[in-house]
Amino acid sequence: MGYKVAVVGATGAVGREMLQTLAERNFPADKVYALASSKSTGQEVSYGDDKVLTVEALDKFDFAKAEIALFSAGGDTAKTYAPIAGQAGCLVIDNSSAFRMDVDVPLMVPEVNPGSVASCLTENGGRNIIANPNCSTAQLVVALKPLHDAFMVKRVVVSTYQAVSGAGRPAMDELFNQTKGIYVNDTVQPEIFTKQIAFNAIPHIDVFLDDGFTREEWKMTAETKKILDPTIELVAHCVRIPVFVGHSEAVFIETERPMTEKAVRNLLNEAPGVIVVDHRANEGYVTPHEAAGEDAVYISRIRQDPTVPNGMVFWCVSDNLRKGAALNSVQIAELIAAQDIRGR
Ligand code: A2P
């Protein structure tokens, strides 16, 4: 028998991708509930190529009917409804930042730290909640993991170039409408973003903190420590760019042990979830445009950093709606199903 799965935020950019990913990967689901706000009740959303689900209101849903819930409806909604779902016996995989740093909530990337599922179950004193990391963190730790295991990563400097879909469907609409409008001389009126996003780059994602970093930058540091190793020092600079789907990162690492470029290339080539495309020629690297719609974390432009003793530089690109969100959530659900952790 398969699982009964609820997707919360099913009308959103990530929620739609969750439904697509569940269907594509043949997740063993007997029943899938598509949930969103009451204003979306009755709307239809696709589940795979040939099925359509009718959206139900989250605030009226009885989570006792579902065994696994994939949440992507923002932090406030998660804070209200994830505990309700958890208490009803439904295992929540939440894509928001609401629970990520809670000590009793695993923050999981299946290729990196798959071992911690059981600890979150209520019967083990847990809250029935597993958190999905921030999209920029997810793709980064997948690439860092094999290098950390082999060479012990000490420090990471990362600059991100992040797609607008990370800010949800209305943000994608804003880029689309601004881009169209600029060609016909319309006045730009930013709503979701703080400045014009079309034909621009905005060095500001999430709110500013007292130390001058943004919360997005802080998340990359804190989440990498929680998922991979608290000893890793990481400094991030996060920028929103006018790309619809696909986050890019320029990554500079320093390791404890010496590493060669060849060894790094080989390790990344063999790492789960990673594809190296690095030909040092025109077109010999991956851009977000090619990564969109794909599951892998793509690595290009690997080269030694000559300015520090053990340093390497690379370019890391992935579909932020997939590995950064929906795919990672579905992979966690697959782990739960594979371990038959719910004792079914
Ligand atoms: P709705 O479309 O009904 O507003 P995105 O991140 O792409 O903007 O998507 C957010 C998702 O979260 C949407 O599916 C949205 O539903 C859902 N959502 C937001 N707030 C709530 C809420 N209070 N209750 C239920 N669903 C919500």
Side-chain angles (χ1 to χ4, degrees):
M1 235 179 70
Y3 286 77
K4 296 178 188 67
V5 181
V7 173
V8 179
T11 53
V14 172
R16 285 171 192 268
E17 203 67 44
M18 284 170 161
L19 290 168
Q20 185 62 26
T21 308
L22 284 167
E24 252 176 38
R25 294 172 69 92
N26 289 321
F27 184 80
D30 277 352
K31 171 81 188 162
V32 179
Y33 299 97
L35 308 176
S37 75
S38 49
K39 76 171 163 40
S40 302
T41 305
Q43 199 176 308
E44 292 191 328
V45 288
S46 301
Y47 173 51
D49 292 335
D50 53 359
K51 289 197 198 78
V52 164
L53 304 175
T54 303
V55 174
E56 298 176 45
L58 171 63
D59 57 4
K60 304 227 164 49
F61 186 71
D62 174 10
F63 276 98
K65 292 200 291 190
E67 290 148 315
I68 298 174
L70 309 184
F71 271 62
S72 191
D76 290 342
T77 307
K79 276 184 195 148
T80 306
Y81 292 97
I84 293 173
Q87 277 152 23
C90 176
L91 184 48
V92 172
I93 301 162
D94 178 41
N95 192 47
S96 81
S97 60
F99 308 105
R100 285 180 194 152
M101 299 316 293
D102 292 6
V103 285
D104 52 357
V105 172
L107 178 62
M108 194 181 293
V109 176
E111 294 89 341
V112 181
N113 60 341
S116 42
V117 172
S119 66
C120 71
L121 300 177
T122 39
E123 46 269 42
N124 299 333
R127 291 153 71 185
N128 264 356
I129 301 175
I130 299 175
N132 214 38
N134 177 262
C135 39
S136 309
T137 311
Q139 68 186 67
L140 179 66
V141 293
V142 168
L144 290 182
K145 165 78 175 159
L147 307 181
H148 188 55
D149 287 349
F151 308 115
M152 191 83 192
V153 175
K154 284 195 307 190
R155 180 168 183 253
V156 181
V157 180
V158 56
S159 300
T160 70
Y161 309 75
Q162 297 184 218
V164 294
S165 51
R169 277 181 78 80
M172 298 171 82
D173 293 343
E174 184 156 310
L175 172 59
F176 183 76
N177 292 329
Q178 273 184 13
T179 308
K180 267 195 326 185
I182 283 168
Y183 281 113
V184 293
N185 273 334
D186 275 356
T187 317
V188 170
Q189 271 177 336
E191 285 172 17
I192 307 282
F193 297 108
T194 48
K195 295 204 177 198
Q196 174 183 319
I197 183 64
F199 307 101
N200 207 359
I202 305 176
H204 173 192
I205 302 180
D206 208 331
V207 296
F208 279 97
L209 304 176
D210 289 344
D211 60 4
F213 283 90
T214 61
R215 206 171 136 71
E216 183 82 356
E217 291 158 352
W218 173 85
K219 281 178 201 164
M220 289 193 78
T221 302
E223 293 178 16
T224 300
K225 283 176 182 286
K226 180 165 175 179
I227 296 166
L228 199 50
D229 187 337
T231 67
I232 295 176
E233 298 294 353
L234 184 147
V235 60
H237 181 78
C238 296
V239 179
R240 190 75 72 186
I241 59 165
V243 158
F244 283 101
V245 177
H247 283 1
S248 308
E249 299 174 345
V251 186
F252 302 73
I253 63 166
E254 284 177 59
T255 56
E256 192 70 51
R257 295 192 274 278
M259 60 189 152
T260 63
E261 189 193 294
K262 188 168 171 229
V264 167
R265 199 175 292 278
N266 288 343
L267 283 166
L268 287 170
N269 253 323
E270 281 159 23
V274 177
I275 295 178
V276 177
V277 179
D278 191 14
H279 301 302
R280 297 186 172 179
N282 295 348
E283 302 176 31
Y285 41 82
V286 173
T287 63
H289 180 65
E290 288 116 25
E294 302 294 330
D295 286 348
V297 173
Y298 292 93
I299 304 293
S300 308
R301 305 286 327 276
I302 303 168
R303 61 220 191 263
Q304 204 99 33
D305 177 353
T307 66
V308 289
N310 300 320
M312 202 65 65
V313 187
F314 58 88
W315 175 245
C316 172
V317 182
S318 196
D319 182 326
N320 55 300
L321 300 178
R322 290 210 164 209
K323 186 58 204 167
L327 172 64
N328 200 68
S329 298
V330 173
Q331 285 175 312
I332 296 171
E334 287 170 349
L335 269 182
I336 293 161
Q339 294 175 18
D340 209 10
I341 204 114
R342 318 228 64 221
R344 299 162 71 252

